[in-house]
Amino acid sequence: MSEITAPKSPVTAEQFADEIREQLKYAQGVTVEQATPADVYVAAAVAVRHHLMDSWMQTQHDMVNGTTKAVGYLSAEFLMGKQLRNALLNAGLTEQYNAAIESLGFNLQDVVDTEYEPGLGNGGLGRLAACFIDSLASLGVPAFGYGIQYKYGIFKQEFDKDGKQVETPDYWLANEEPWGHIDYNRSQKVSFGGKVVKEGGKKVWKPAWSVRAVPVDYMVPGYASGRVNTLRLWSAKAEDEFDLLTFNRSEYLSAVKPQVKAENISKILYPEDSTKEGKQLRLEQQYFFVSASLHDAIRVFYPGESKPDLTTLPDKIVFQLNDTHPVIGIPELMRILIDEYGYDWDTAWSITNKTFNYTCHTLLPEALEVWPADLIGELLPRHLEIIEKINEQFEAELKAKGVGAVTIKDMAIYTGDSVRMAYLATYGGSHVNGVAELHSQLLKDVTLKNFSDVYPDKFTNVTNGVTPRRFIKLANPRLSDLITEGLGTDKWLSDLELLKGLEPLAADDEFVRKFAAVKQANKVDFANYAKREYGFDLDPDTMFNTMVKRLHEYKRQALKILALIARYADIKSGKLSADDVMPRTVIFGAKAAPGYYLAKMTIQLINNVARVVNNDPDVKGKLNVYFPWNYNVRLAQHLIPATDLDEQISQAGKEASGTGNMKFALNGAMTVGTLDGANVEIRERVGAENFFLFGMTVDEVDKLYADGYGPRKYYEADPRLKAAIDMVADGTFSNGNKDTYAPLVSDWLSKDWFMTLADFHAYTAIQSEIEALYAQPLEWNRKALINVANSGYFSSDRSISDYLERIWHTGPLPALA
Ligand code: 26V
């Protein structure tokens, strides 16, 4: 028997059912007989919240009254995924809930299915924020997640009859949303525009307009810590609705306009990912949530004090800037300290500098935000002055350190025309970190080299991680049970390095067979899910080969699709006899930014390759391609546990970390990948012999680029590559229309910025190695199990421990009595 340490609430299933009944009756006004699964979902969510309430209040009390410094994670995105199952797990109520729902006459899945996923993030950065707040709570560290409650999350993706991506709005709040508590009484006023005037020798900002930031609080229950933190998402409301009454009838409609403008601020999540978007509304969003959050922190940590001693702020809370999006917080805290609380510049700077740290999540220079100075000047005139002054101080400091004039100019935070947010963050905070070893090294060597030369001690690395609660326990219950059986305890859920104990079991054929059976059962589940949700017919007896992530050129979905076309051509032409082909089901998931032309065209191409291949009798049973639309956290939770082979094939030096790679390895998939991002560390840990490595390294990429890269050479030299590209060009996947993909083909042959063609040969060459191993199921699964056993490092609990030690210098609250 295994030792079970998972939290379990003393509440009985009968009590829980009664609570649901009460909630249905007294709050929702329906009887159990009248209730729909959606009603029951809301009632169950409210009941879970009730059970978490004491811990939540206790955690807040201990945070404010104790001496443990809290963490404020400032992020424009939190990609939370569904809440109910996660809250039940952490509250120790899963069994009671299951029994209660059944006793009330409802189907478990029906109830869970009514929860609408909050898609308040684009991809990796937003999901990382969600994993991090889960780990903070699970480690018992007092923390706030601060962000925006967008009315519309990431768009819903559909495909039209031509296979093109169509975006539709994601109004996730259309139905009752039981998790967020709107706290009108803790609102903050956030102001914009206007001008700065001098009054009595002091600079005074006279803003032109304001909005009300209303907090919507989400509980963030820790796993087995007894602690519940807060995710505080701000919603914009018109500042003073009563103003309307002063207008007469004819002005009435125009008087409503500012209100509409105000509420627009939190209306929509920007669906861009790694591309520069210089939009005023986006800057408004950034300032909106950051200003509200900083004022909120002061309210929380100095309750009722009109003259708080804010020199102690860095002992109360440390803020992490999740990418450049919240970096306007640096001049905002300066402004609050100087203008609102009367501190002198140097004191304000010392407080600010100690309070902020910055995480960079990209290597693409175009993704580092740069704001036009006149935009900042118009929207936040006082902040622009402060930024100018920060820049002056910075230049003086550099000069004093002996930095040359040219370098000083290169490093300017404020260039006269624009403000470089990554530079402001690097100078304005205590630490800068990248999100994987390689990424952090490249930040120091390339992206922020000048800064790391002058301030070497600021730079550090924290490799990303993922929460094992959502991505193993909830997503993959079969594997979770097998791990617990193998280790003899379920403690791995809060100490993932314990997975190492599975390694000896890789030599035990019987255990490996059980592991293989788990994967097979998950594949059958996914095939059923794909049938139900998408109408697809997946064959679980083929290899499931998955590539899921945002669609971006650097991630190289094009490499995968070209290799797939080449294989299709080989089978069709008889070059590869059907018997020699390992049957594969290739599954893509990806959203493209709505304005990203080539990315959207790649989606269209994948869909049409799928159409042609899936309808071709010549490859029947050998090759199938599916592209379930609207990839999101829910789909990830179903697909990842069912995957045999995962693709992490970005151009070396472009993927900051990746976190999908970690989720797949932890769920027993093998990875084919380049030496990029966290792939490097995964491979190091699981062993080179258990990872399918291919492609150019960062140095080779740089060299090829320096020597002058021409993709056409590769096209001419490799007949399989040539055939694949020619098929795209000649209309094979566009009903004979040669124009459809002409821009894509032209880009591949003339630019190919991410060197897809140069890596094609290596990528296709490694496929035979992959298939040779897959042909020996026991050996494949042995290696997959070794991947699981050695991936414990990639828990977000470990990432958070690293942040605590290297950057935040704080820890958990005292243990609960
Ligand atoms: C950038 C921008 C630019 C302006 C418009 C809106 C917008 C929205 C999001 C972003 C962030 C892109 C950066 C990002 O998501 N990076 C990913 O971060 C993951 C977590 O660290 C990491 O695993 C991925 O490798 C990295 O691409």
Side-chain angles (χ1 to χ4, degrees):
M1 269 314 282
S2 297
E3 174 198 28
I4 298 301
T5 61
K8 178 142 190 223
S9 159
V11 172
T12 66
E14 291 72 32
Q15 286 167 330
F16 200 72
D18 284 343
E19 288 164 14
I20 292 176
R21 251 189 227 104
E22 292 263 301
Q23 167 67 20
L24 283 170
K25 179 173 173 189
Y26 292 106
Q28 295 166 232
V30 287
T31 63
V32 173
E33 291 67 36
Q34 293 166 327
T36 63
D39 294 326
V40 174
Y41 156 69
V42 170
V46 172
V48 184
R49 268 188 114 255
H50 285 177
H51 285 288
L52 292 169
M53 190 56 76
D54 284 332
S55 302
W56 191 34
M57 294 173 75
Q58 183 73 44
T59 302
Q60 292 179 70
H61 173 272
D62 293 353
M63 172 176 76
V64 174
N65 297 293
T67 54
T68 310
K69 176 164 60 168
V71 175
Y73 200 80
L74 293 169
S75 178
E77 305 186 6
F78 286 92
L79 188 48
M80 297 297 289
K82 294 192 186 204
Q83 293 304 295
L84 180 59
R85 283 279 174 205
N86 187 64
L88 287 166
L89 171 67
N90 291 0
L93 284 165
T94 302
E95 283 168 27
Q96 298 91 319
Y97 164 87
N98 291 349
I101 296 300
E102 274 168 1
S103 77
L104 293 168
F106 287 84
N107 175 284
L108 288 173
Q109 200 54 44
D110 289 351
V111 174
V112 169
D113 281 350
T114 67
E115 177 167 3
Y116 197 95
E117 171 173 333
L120 307 186
N122 272 288
L125 169 140
R127 183 53 235 178
L128 186 78
C131 285
F132 279 6
I133 58 175
D134 176 86
S135 285
L136 279 160
S138 299
L139 292 172
V141 178
F144 278 106
Y146 278 120
I148 300 176
Q149 196 210 37
Y150 302 101
K151 291 284 163 303
Y152 293 87
I154 185 69
F155 63 84
K156 264 197 277 185
Q157 179 193 51
E158 291 166 32
F159 299 139
D160 71 8
K161 61 173 186 4
D162 298 325
K164 290 184 183 153
Q165 169 175 293
V166 179
E167 303 93 22
T168 59
D170 167 56
Y171 187 46
W172 70 289
L173 293 171
N175 297 310
E176 185 164 355
E177 197 283 291
W179 303 103
H181 169 68
I182 308 186
D183 190 352
Y184 289 97
N185 298 324
R186 310 276 177 298
S187 299
Q188 295 289 347
K189 180 174 169 174
V190 181
S191 303
F192 298 89
K195 52 185 191 292
V196 179
V197 296
K198 267 210 156 141
E199 272 177 13
K202 270 181 63 180
K203 302 269 187 145
V204 181
W205 179 23
K206 304 277 186 190
W209 55 284
S210 310
V211 302
R212 190 172 165 206
V214 181
V216 188
D217 285 346
Y218 292 82
M219 291 180 175
V220 184
Y223 176 82
S225 69
R227 295 298 186 178
V228 179
N229 282 331
T230 306
L231 171 61
R232 186 157 288 165
L233 300 181
W234 299 97
S235 178
K237 304 265 185 264
E239 220 261 302
D240 191 356
E241 311 200 5
F242 296 102
D243 273 0
L244 285 177
L245 301 177
T246 64
F247 290 91
N248 64 35
R249 240 178 104 97
S250 64
E251 290 167 319
Y252 178 73
L253 280 181
S254 53
V256 179
K257 273 193 190 146
Q259 190 151 345
V260 172
K261 180 174 159 67
E263 300 193 351
N264 267 342
I265 289 185
S266 58
K267 190 125 300 170
I268 184 160
L269 168 76
Y270 272 88
E272 301 307 321
D273 179 280
S274 310
T275 48
K276 201 159 28 175
E277 263 282 294
K279 285 268 168 60
Q280 168 158 345
L281 183 58
R282 197 171 155 81
L283 182 58
E284 287 173 12
Q285 290 184 336
Q286 297 182 349
Y287 180 63
F288 165 76
F289 93 88
V290 167
S291 174
S293 304
L294 294 176
H295 283 101
D296 185 68
I298 294 172
R299 176 189 67 76
V300 167
F301 287 101
Y302 303 90
E305 294 182 41
S306 58
K307 284 197 165 45
D309 174 10
L310 293 177
T311 60
T312 63
L313 187 67
D315 308 322
K316 308 264 188 197
I317 188 163
V318 54
F319 287 108
Q320 194 65 29
L321 301 165
N322 198 28
D323 221 276
T324 49
H325 318 149
V327 170
I328 195 70
I330 290 173
E332 171 65 355
L333 184 58
M334 289 297 286
R335 188 195 66 80
I336 293 172
L337 293 167
I338 296 168
D339 295 1
E340 294 182 9
Y341 290 94
Y343 288 92
D344 62 71
W345 176 274
D346 290 344
T347 308
W349 183 252
S350 152
I351 296 170
T352 300
N353 206 259
K354 280 187 245 170
T355 306
F356 288 104
N357 302 285
Y358 161 55
T359 307
C360 178
H361 293 268
T362 189
L363 277 157
L364 305 181
E366 67 268 26
L368 297 177
E369 286 179 300
V370 176
W371 290 106
D374 45 14
L375 178 58
I376 298 192
E378 208 169 291
L379 204 61
L380 303 167
R382 178 67 178 131
H383 297 76
L384 185 61
E385 285 187 2
I386 291 172
I387 291 167
E388 283 184 54
K389 196 161 170 197
I390 292 174
N391 190 58
E392 275 168 30
Q393 169 185 300
F394 177 48
E395 288 188 354
E397 196 173 306
L398 291 178
K399 213 168 160 189
K401 286 177 185 282
V403 179
V406 176
T407 309
I408 292 183
K409 197 163 171 235
D410 280 352
M411 294 174 77
I413 291 166
Y414 172 64
T415 64
D417 297 329
S418 52
V419 179
R420 294 159 163 168
M421 303 309 271
Y423 293 3
L424 177 56
T426 304
Y427 178 56
S430 292
H431 302 271
V432 184
N433 74 285
V435 289
E437 294 284 354
L438 175 66
H439 175 228
S440 296
Q441 194 58 47
L442 290 169
L443 281 183
K444 285 195 283 186
D445 293 348
V446 187
T447 321
L448 296 171
K449 176 168 190 325
N450 290 330
F451 285 82
S452 115
D453 287 348
V454 183
Y455 304 102
D457 297 342
K458 281 199 183 200
F459 285 76
T460 184
N461 170 251
V462 179
T463 298
N464 283 165
V466 303
T467 171
R469 272 74 65 181
R470 180 175 294 268
F471 287 106
I472 307 179
K473 176 73 185 172
L474 295 179
N476 200 342
R478 287 190 189 94
L479 181 62
S480 300
D481 288 348
L482 184 65
I483 294 172
T484 299
E485 181 193 316
L487 297 177
T489 173
D490 67 353
K491 278 202 177 125
W492 56 275
L493 271 163
S494 35
D495 181 2
L496 204 61
E497 295 272 15
L498 291 178
L499 292 182
K500 191 81 186 160
L502 295 173
E503 187 146 39
L505 293 168
D508 173 352
D509 288 355
E510 204 199 322
F511 192 82
V512 177
R513 280 195 192 93
K514 284 187 188 171
F515 178 79
V518 163
K519 181 65 71 180
Q520 189 57 29
N522 290 343
K523 289 168 72 173
V524 171
D525 273 4
F526 184 75
N528 292 330
Y529 177 83
K531 180 75 185 171
R532 197 169 70 232
E533 298 277 322
Y534 297 93
F536 295 159
D537 286 300
L538 272 65
D539 177 359
D541 292 326
T542 60
M543 177 202 287
F544 280 11
N545 176 194
T546 303
M547 181 165 189
V548 285
K549 47 187 74 257
R550 280 298 286 252
L551 210 139
H552 203 292
E553 288 163 275
Y554 84 77
K555 296 178 186 278
R556 301 199 299 189
Q557 279 92 355
L559 179 54
K560 177 82 194 142
I561 198 77
L562 283 173
L564 205 151
I565 295 169
R567 153 172 294 244
Y568 170 62
D570 286 348
I571 305 175
K572 259 192 97 67
S573 68
K575 207 183 295 168
L576 245 182
S577 95
D579 294 340
D580 292 341
V581 183
M582 177 64 64
R584 266 202 219 203
T585 297
V586 178
I587 304 160
F588 286 93
K591 292 181 183 180
Y596 191 167
Y597 182 69
L598 286 182
K600 290 178 88 169
M601 191 170 282
T602 306
I603 285 182
Q604 187 186 352
L605 175 60
I606 298 171
N607 274 320
N608 283 286
V609 171
R611 176 180 54 82
V612 170
V613 169
N614 295 350
N615 288 304
D616 189 334
D618 292 351
V619 298
K620 201 173 162 46
K622 297 297 168 192
L623 184 59
N624 277 289
V625 185
Y626 295 98
F627 195 160
W629 49 91
N630 203 43
Y631 181 60
N632 59 8
V633 179
R634 174 182 182 228
L635 177 52
Q637 288 182 215
H638 283 95
L639 179 51
I640 292 171
T643 292
D644 295 304
L645 178 67
D646 164 42
E647 307 268 338
Q648 300 295 338
I649 60 178
S650 51
Q651 186 193 33
K654 293 298 181 295
E655 189 69 87
S657 164
T659 44
N661 45 5
M662 303 167 183
K663 292 164 198 164
F664 282 101
L666 283 165
N667 279 281
M670 296 293 290
T671 305
V672 55
T674 48
L675 272 185
D676 201 15
N679 294 354
V680 177
E681 290 158 78
I682 293 176
R683 178 169 169 271
E684 248 165 48
R685 290 198 148 69
V686 305
E689 67 286 8
N690 301 308
F691 187 103
F692 297 111
L693 180 73
F694 78 99
M696 287 184 285
T697 61
V698 173
D699 290 344
E700 287 164 351
V701 166
D702 287 348
K703 179 160 188 323
L704 184 53
Y705 184 73
D707 293 348
Y709 176 62
R712 200 168 261 281
K713 190 175 97 192
Y714 298 88
Y715 166 82
E716 305 292 354
D718 186 339
R720 296 183 71 239
L721 173 59
K722 181 167 188 305
I725 293 183
D726 289 350
M727 282 169 83
V728 177
D730 73 12
T732 303
F733 307 109
S734 41
N735 302 312
N737 189 334
K738 296 187 166 61
D739 296 333
T740 308
Y741 301 112
L744 205 50
V745 171
S746 150
D747 187 90
W748 288 336
L749 293 180
S750 63
K751 294 201 194 86
D752 189 23
W753 191 246
F754 299 101
M755 300 179 177
T756 298
L757 273 54
D759 267 342
F760 180 87
H761 182 76
Y763 180 62
T764 48
I766 198 159
Q767 302 302 323
S768 42
E769 215 178 289
I770 292 172
E771 300 197 346
L773 185 67
Y774 196 74
Q776 302 167 268
L778 199 61
E779 296 320 306
W780 176 282
N781 280 291
R782 206 185 305 284
K783 284 176 183 278
L785 176 58
I786 294 174
N787 267 265
V788 176
N790 290 289
S791 294
Y793 177 79
F794 300 102
S795 167
S796 45
D797 297 348
R798 190 272 314 147
S799 304
I800 291 300
S801 302
D802 287 351
Y803 276 99
L804 291 169
E805 193 187 304
R806 298 175 196 165
I807 299 180
W808 298 333
H809 310 302
T810 183
L813 290 166
L816 287 163

